[in-house]
Amino acid sequence: MAEPELATKGPESDASAPPPPAVQQTPPAPTLSEHCTSDRPTPTGQSSTGEVTKLADIDVYISKPADYPHTPSKLLLLLTGGTGLHSVNNQIQADRFASEGYFVVMPDLFNGDAAPNASTLADEPTTPGSFLDTFKIKAAETAKSFLIDMWLARHTEEKVMPILTKVIDACKDEFADAVSHGGGVYAVGYCFGGRYILLLAGERPTVTGRGFPWSAVSTPAPDEEAGKTVVGPYIKAGAIAHATLVSRSDFEGLKAPVSLVSVENDPLFPDEVRTAGEDYMRENGVEHEVQVYPGVPHGFAVVGEYEDANIKSAQVTAYEQMLKWIKEH
């Protein structure tokens, strides 16, 4: 496979009529792709080995190293795409990190409400054979887009961040040994979950009664100079694969080291957002790495079967990139 790139007019109107006023283009609302909301086929012969349980009243999937607790482990938070907690592929992803010595906690970010139309993707899309087939496909795509937009409206930062901070606080109590052994909490995130790695890795000011609605979940530290309080960072280091819904402002206040697995020409994580983030991190001394993978689809780094050997190879490389980053920090 190609090596990933390292990146530190309308109809004419009547001549006598005045020209119509310019229409301001509204950028499209952020959304997700099929790769964020549907699983690839599970690799042949593989199944998950962890368990779903409750932590601070939140469903979590926990995967432990085989020799835990006899051998110390570091705590790793894994944040999923839209397929969520019960996706076998996501669970296998957690198990892979556990096999490397991490105590993995994968929380249900969606409170039992995984993304709509989450299903297994075939390797190649069906080619429409007739006008009616094409119409049906387009109608289905429109319906899916609407359902995903509605789903996103239910799972905003104001809903997801309290889940995460609550789980992190509970981990510090329930799994204090793992948190202590790693000197904090590590985190990896895919697709939807990728943006939240940035939020957890940042330090942000807030004012009592204003600012982030979730900021009261954890006790903020005083910032006497600004007359404000500061929340975060919540993690020691993070790794992100093909994040979605990221804006330039999500990089502001970033403190913890982050590694980015990005897809070349990814409309769900546009180049201008990524490069603005790189500029911010470089100018503010945030330790980071960015690798851009050509010729792969969004979502490629999540466990799942592909026929294309180049994609399969890139999937392995992306996992190794993320694992190496958290091991070195």
Side-chain angles (χ1 to χ4, degrees):
M1 60 163 281
E3 288 295 322
E5 300 170 9
L6 184 61
T8 77
K9 200 170 177 192
E12 295 182 3
S13 47
D14 191 302
S16 62
V23 177
Q24 185 172 357
Q25 295 295 323
T26 303
T31 189
L32 303 179
S33 75
E34 284 283 356
H35 294 282
C36 301
T37 61
S38 300
D39 279 327
R40 299 292 309 175
T42 299
T44 303
Q46 295 190 29
S47 60
S48 56
T49 58
E51 64 174 346
V52 175
T53 185
K54 290 278 189 182
L55 182 63
D57 244 4
I58 295 166
D59 285 341
V60 296
Y61 177 83
I62 291 181
S63 187
K64 308 172 187 178
D67 52 358
Y68 177 86
H70 304 295
T71 301
S73 300
K74 298 178 181 180
L75 193 131
L76 178 69
L77 196 67
L78 192 153
L79 309 185
T80 71
T83 53
L85 178 77
H86 295 285
S87 158
V88 173
N89 287 1
N90 291 337
Q91 294 177 356
I92 294 173
Q93 191 84 64
D95 296 344
R96 289 186 178 178
F97 283 104
S99 72
E100 295 289 339
Y102 290 90
F103 187 107
V104 185
V105 177
M106 185 170 74
D108 181 2
L109 304 179
F110 315 119
N111 196 25
D113 178 32
N117 300 309
S119 60
T120 299
L121 284 173
D123 215 27
E124 297 294 338
T126 301
T127 303
S130 67
F131 172 79
L132 183 58
D133 289 336
T134 302
F135 178 81
K136 288 179 178 178
I137 290 171
K138 292 298 183 184
E141 289 173 350
T142 300
K144 285 182 182 180
S145 178
F146 174 76
L147 289 171
I148 289 173
D149 288 346
M150 295 296 289
W151 180 80
L152 285 171
R154 296 196 297 273
H155 301 290
T156 60
E157 178 181 332
E158 292 77 16
K159 298 289 182 63
V160 176
M161 281 301 294
I163 293 173
L164 292 175
T165 51
K166 192 174 181 180
V167 166
I168 290 173
D169 286 346
C171 285
K172 291 176 180 178
D173 289 334
E174 296 288 329
F175 314 121
D177 59 329
V179 175
S180 176
H181 182 64
V185 175
Y186 295 85
V188 295
Y190 297 80
C191 298
F192 182 98
R195 174 179 181 248
Y196 288 89
I197 300 298
L198 291 175
L199 299 185
L200 291 173
E203 178 183 87
R204 301 185 177 212
T206 184
V207 178
T208 303
R210 297 192 291 117
F212 298 101
W214 44 265
S215 61
V217 177
S218 292
T219 304
D223 181 351
E224 295 178 1
E225 280 188 52
K228 298 177 181 180
T229 56
V230 174
V231 293
Y234 295 90
I235 60 174
K236 184 177 180 181
I240 301 165
H242 37 67
T244 58
L245 310 175
V246 174
S247 66
R248 299 182 185 200
S249 64
D250 291 332
F251 289 92
E252 295 176 6
L254 199 59
K255 296 292 184 182
V258 292
S259 172
L260 272 65
V261 169
S262 299
V263 173
E264 186 178 47
N265 300 321
D266 187 356
L268 300 178
F269 189 18
D271 290 347
E272 59 266 27
V273 175
R274 174 177 55 78
T275 55
E278 291 181 65
D279 290 343
Y280 178 90
M281 292 186 289
R282 183 175 58 255
E283 292 165 4
N284 289 274
V286 179
E287 187 182 357
H288 67 282
E289 70 172 3
V290 180
Q291 292 198 27
V292 180
Y293 289 71
V296 296
H298 183 95
F300 81 98
V302 180
V303 164
E305 199 62 76
Y306 287 92
E307 294 297 326
D308 189 318
N310 290 332
I311 299 175
K312 295 172 74 170
S313 177
Q315 189 179 79
V316 172
T317 303
Y319 171 71
E320 291 173 345
Q321 174 189 332
M322 298 171 78
L323 178 64
K324 183 173 182 287
W325 184 260
I326 59 175
K327 280 188 171 183
E328 291 179 347
H329 292 83

